[in-house]
Amino acid sequence: MSRVISYNINPNLNVQTGAHKTYFIIKGKNPDIKEDGQYKTPEEKEQEAEEKREKEEKEREDDQYLSPEEIRLKYKIDFGPDNYYYNEREKEFIYYYPQEFIAPSETGEDKYVIFQYCHCVLHDSTPTDFEIHSTIVPRDTFCDSLVYYCNLQVPDDNRKYRVNTNKQMGFKVWFTNYKGERIIPDYFTVFLKLIY
């Protein structure tokens, strides 16, 4: 038998007890892959880089007429339509947590991120010797913030990390090969569970 709760009687009535749980799926792709799935040629990369340099030059000329506040707003990191920012220099992807996860908790309960699985593809294969690293690992630089191996099922929820700060709005993700060198997969999907 189900119970009907009318919010007209008491709009402050909290119907959920216990911790909130939600699945959080993040995706990313190599910026050197075109929409048709093919890698960009060196000529296309050079042309893109030249266009970017010209655009930045023109913007620098225009910036002399802007106030410092306008410049700060103009160069704010753009997360784009895929909800991530790719840092080319560091070969890492930056994501924001969902708003409901970073909002202050009413009960003061601990917040957790649980890593569940990472599907990672490079050159049409799903290698298992790639490692996923992330700043969700709370220990500073322990094994370069290693989370787990890509394309391997995690045996249980032992990849559970506590996030107890409201200052941490997001996290970074990067990948390495068996030599510890940073790599960029063609595309990837990471499955996380958030408890808050």
Side-chain angles (χ1 to χ4, degrees), residues 26-84:
I26 60 172
K27 294 183 175 198
K29 69 178 188 109
N30 190 326
D32 290 338
I33 294 185
K34 299 185 286 189
E35 293 300 319
D36 62 1
Q38 301 297 316
Y39 279 93
K40 294 176 185 172
T41 64
E43 293 81 23
E44 290 173 321
K45 286 184 191 178
E46 183 58 39
Q47 182 182 359
E48 233 178 55
E50 183 62 33
E51 289 171 1
K52 186 177 177 182
R53 278 192 295 275
E54 288 174 6
K55 181 181 174 190
E56 287 173 353
E57 236 176 75
K58 184 179 179 336
E59 285 179 350
R60 267 188 256 120
E61 290 172 9
D62 296 341
D63 287 349
Q64 64 183 340
Y65 303 109
L66 299 177
S67 71
E69 180 64 20
E70 290 171 324
I71 290 173
R72 186 183 66 76
L73 290 173
K74 180 178 178 180
Y75 291 105
K76 193 171 115 177
I77 292 178
D78 179 23
F79 276 67
D82 297 322
N83 293 323
Y84 68 85

Side-chain angles (χ1 to χ4, degrees), residues 80-180:
D82 297 322
N83 293 323
Y84 68 85
Y85 172 76
Y86 176 68
N87 182 343
E88 281 185 64
R89 191 180 69 215
E90 300 294 329
K91 295 185 180 177
E92 62 190 16
F93 298 83
I94 303 170
Y95 297 88
Y96 277 137
Y97 287 118
Q99 184 62 37
E100 59 271 12
F101 183 72
I102 58 175
S105 173
E106 296 172 3
T107 61
E109 294 288 326
D110 288 339
K111 298 176 183 183
Y112 294 95
V113 176
I114 300 174
F115 172 81
Q116 294 190 311
Y117 187 73
C118 175
H119 176 70
C120 172
V121 176
L122 183 66
H123 302 297
D124 294 327
S125 67
T126 54
T128 57
D129 61 344
F130 289 166
E131 300 171 342
I132 179 171
H133 302 258
S134 177
T135 55
I136 63 172
V137 178
R139 296 166 296 207
D140 294 335
T141 65
F142 177 74
C143 288
D144 193 23
S145 301
L146 174 65
V147 177
Y148 204 66
Y149 284 93
C150 299
N151 302 313
L152 289 179
Q153 188 67 42
V154 178
D156 53 20
D157 278 351
N158 65 358
R159 301 290 180 272
K160 182 176 181 178
Y161 304 102
R162 188 170 68 187
V163 180
N164 274 351
T165 176
N166 294 329
K167 295 177 185 173
Q168 190 174 353
M169 305 291 283
F171 58 98
K172 299 175 183 176
V173 173
W174 63 96
F175 298 87
T176 59
N177 61 14
Y178 69 96
K179 296 178 186 175

